[in-house]
Amino acid sequence: MKLNIAVLPGDGIGPEIVDQAQKVIDAVAVKFGHEVKYTNALVGATAIDKVGNPYPDETHDICMDSDAVLFGAIGDPKYDNDPKAKVRPEQGLLAMRKKLGLYANIRPVSTFPSLLDKSPLRLDIVEGADFVVVRELTGGIYFGEKGRSEDLTKAFDTCTYTTEEIERILKLAFSYAGKRDKRLTVIDKANVLATSRLWRETAQGMEADYKDIEVDYMFVDNAAMQLIQWPKKFDVMVTENMFGDIISDEASVITGSLGLLPSASVGIHTSVFEPIHGSYPQAAGKDIANPIATVLSAAMLLESLDLLDEAKAVREAVNQSLEKGVVTEDISKDGKAYKTSEVGDWLAAAIK
Ligand code: IPM
Ligand code: MG
């Protein structure tokens, strides 16, 4: 098979971790006889610095013309502490999501037996936790009308959802639940928010079409608590954009390192695969960042193209590296830590 992959390394550790994922994809290509063509494109602060736009049209065209997008990370501290900045790297990510129609962000969370002791939670609480957060990604408060009063003393952000937007993400969440343990938790704030009530009403209306799925409803504050207290109770969680942003970061620490969790953003046009962590600017260029989240994102990318054996080979290599301790410093145990690039080389060799 010929694969056409757009590569958007972005900022901070983005380029280093994406390099490792590419090594892994190359190894898969050799082993399974595929041909891969990468096209690199600018995004984030790097794109602002070079062309003044965090998601240039050229990048969008490259994404549209590809089978999948491999994405690193975006964000640069020089913008974080400047609330007055006119363009921000994050706008590039949001523009990409909107223009590619990526209405769903899928974040699977599972634990790795060899890393259970890295979790801040007790072993008996986390062992066996395995769930997916399905986050709505192109609506809600992120994209609603926003503004500032003329005298600058008042600001507002609006949360808007249409039935259509809610239905399409719920459909996807129901189908995920159908392929898993058949339990779906709809997370909202229906005791306070009108949009949440529309979410709940819409989900309730769809229940009859998915009789084999057990649906429950949970307020987001309660869900945040139960996720820590009893992560094993969840199978598929579905929620609106901002709740999903928060819940999925919370979920990520359960496994012990933010550096392990991949994600897929899917929707109307080309899907994007990226680690859930950020650009970790303090580590940029040091060859110490954990590449596993990006490598596992590459596995999700392969799965999305129906290359299931290929994805399995990647996952097996990752499991072996974790068991053998071929890992970066964030999850190393007996003081022996490998460099980002060494982990990538090891994984590629293991696959081949
Ligand atoms: C994420 C990130 C982004 C978001 C930021 C960088 C805009 O936190 O992908 O979860 O809030 O969606
Ligand atoms: Mg986030």
Side-chain angles (χ1 to χ4, degrees):
M1 181 171 170
K2 279 193 176 156
L3 306 181
N4 215 335
I5 301 179
V7 180
L8 278 55
D11 308 324
I13 57 168
E16 298 157 57
I17 51 174
V18 161
D19 267 355
Q20 313 318 312
Q22 284 183 265
K23 283 180 197 168
V24 163
I25 295 173
D26 288 339
V28 162
V30 170
K31 186 171 155 87
F32 292 85
H34 301 300
E35 201 180 302
V36 190
K37 180 174 154 237
Y38 299 109
T39 312
N40 271 64
L42 295 171
V43 74
T46 321
I48 300 178
D49 291 346
K50 292 214 170 113
V51 296
N53 178 351
Y55 186 60
D57 290 344
E58 201 201 333
T59 299
H60 181 61
D61 293 343
I62 290 172
C63 292
M64 289 295 286
D65 287 341
S66 303
D67 300 319
V69 178
L70 181 64
F71 192 98
I74 57 152
D76 188 306
K78 76 182 172 209
Y79 296 96
D80 295 344
N81 301 319
D82 177 11
K84 294 214 166 100
K86 289 234 155 50
V87 263
R88 321 183 67 83
E90 289 76 9
Q91 287 164 347
L93 186 60
L94 300 185
M96 180 184 75
R97 289 173 180 169
K98 199 68 176 178
K99 289 176 87 172
L100 291 176
L102 304 173
Y103 61 80
N105 183 228
I106 318 289
R107 297 182 166 182
V109 179
S110 59
T111 52
F112 298 91
S114 54
L115 294 177
L116 284 175
D117 59 329
K118 292 280 173 191
S119 173
L121 299 184
R122 253 188 5 241
L123 192 127
D124 60 303
I125 294 178
V126 285
E127 197 169 21
D130 184 348
F131 57 91
V132 179
V133 181
V134 178
R135 166 188 176 192
E136 201 290 327
L137 205 58
T138 51
I141 201 165
Y142 272 58
F143 291 94
E145 202 192 326
K146 51 187 84 221
R148 189 90 178 252
S149 67
E150 237 163 74
D151 69 358
L152 304 179
T153 60
K154 198 166 121 187
F156 65 95
D157 298 278
T158 323
C159 183
T160 312
Y161 270 109
T162 63
T163 306
E164 196 189 347
E165 285 174 314
I166 300 168
E167 262 171 11
R168 67 180 177 186
I169 181 93
L170 285 174
K171 245 187 181 160
L172 202 121
F174 271 110
S175 95
Y176 262 86
K179 285 181 252 162
R180 294 176 46 98
D181 202 34
K182 304 198 167 27
R183 290 178 292 122
L184 179 67
T185 308
V186 181
I187 295 166
D188 62 29
K189 190 72 188 174
N191 50 349
V192 178
L193 302 177
T195 41
S196 283
R197 285 194 280 272
L198 183 59
W199 269 74
R200 201 171 271 221
E201 204 180 290
T202 308
Q204 282 166 344
M206 289 169 75
E207 278 185 39
D209 299 335
Y210 300 90
K211 290 217 162 63
D212 57 330
I213 313 276
E214 186 190 314
V215 186
D216 75 324
Y217 299 86
M218 209 179 269
F219 297 140
V220 62
D221 46 351
N222 183 21
M225 179 196 75
Q226 296 211 30
L227 191 55
I228 289 299
Q229 211 172 32
W230 195 12
K232 279 184 256 193
K233 88 179 271 166
F234 295 101
D235 181 26
V236 177
M237 311 167 91
V238 62
T239 189
E240 63 102 68
N241 203 342
M242 189 156 82
F243 295 161
D245 179 44
I246 298 167
I247 286 285
S248 60
D249 260 34
E250 186 191 2
S252 71
V253 297
I254 292 173
T255 59
S257 172
L258 197 57
L260 296 172
L261 294 186
S263 83
S265 299
V266 304
I268 298 166
H269 302 294
T270 321
S271 302
V272 174
F273 300 85
E274 59 171 313
I276 86 148
H277 59 70
S279 59
Y280 192 14
Q282 305 84 337
K286 293 192 180 148
D287 205 15
I288 56 170
N290 192 340
I292 297 298
T294 318
V295 169
L296 289 174
S297 301
M300 291 182 87
L301 182 158
L302 294 168
E303 276 153 4
S304 78
L305 301 174
D306 263 334
L307 300 173
L308 303 182
D309 290 337
E310 288 81 344
K312 204 168 151 217
V314 174
R315 292 184 189 283
E316 273 165 12
V318 166
N319 286 339
Q320 275 178 34
S321 75
L322 297 178
E323 268 159 34
K324 294 198 156 71
V326 185
V327 296
T328 44
E329 63 181 22
D330 54 316
I331 50 172
S332 76
K333 285 195 179 139
D334 36 28
K336 169 81 180 123
Y338 288 73
K339 296 283 181 197
T340 310
S341 55
E342 289 172 335
V343 174
D345 291 339
W346 192 94
L347 292 170
I351 290 167
K352 279 189 199 150

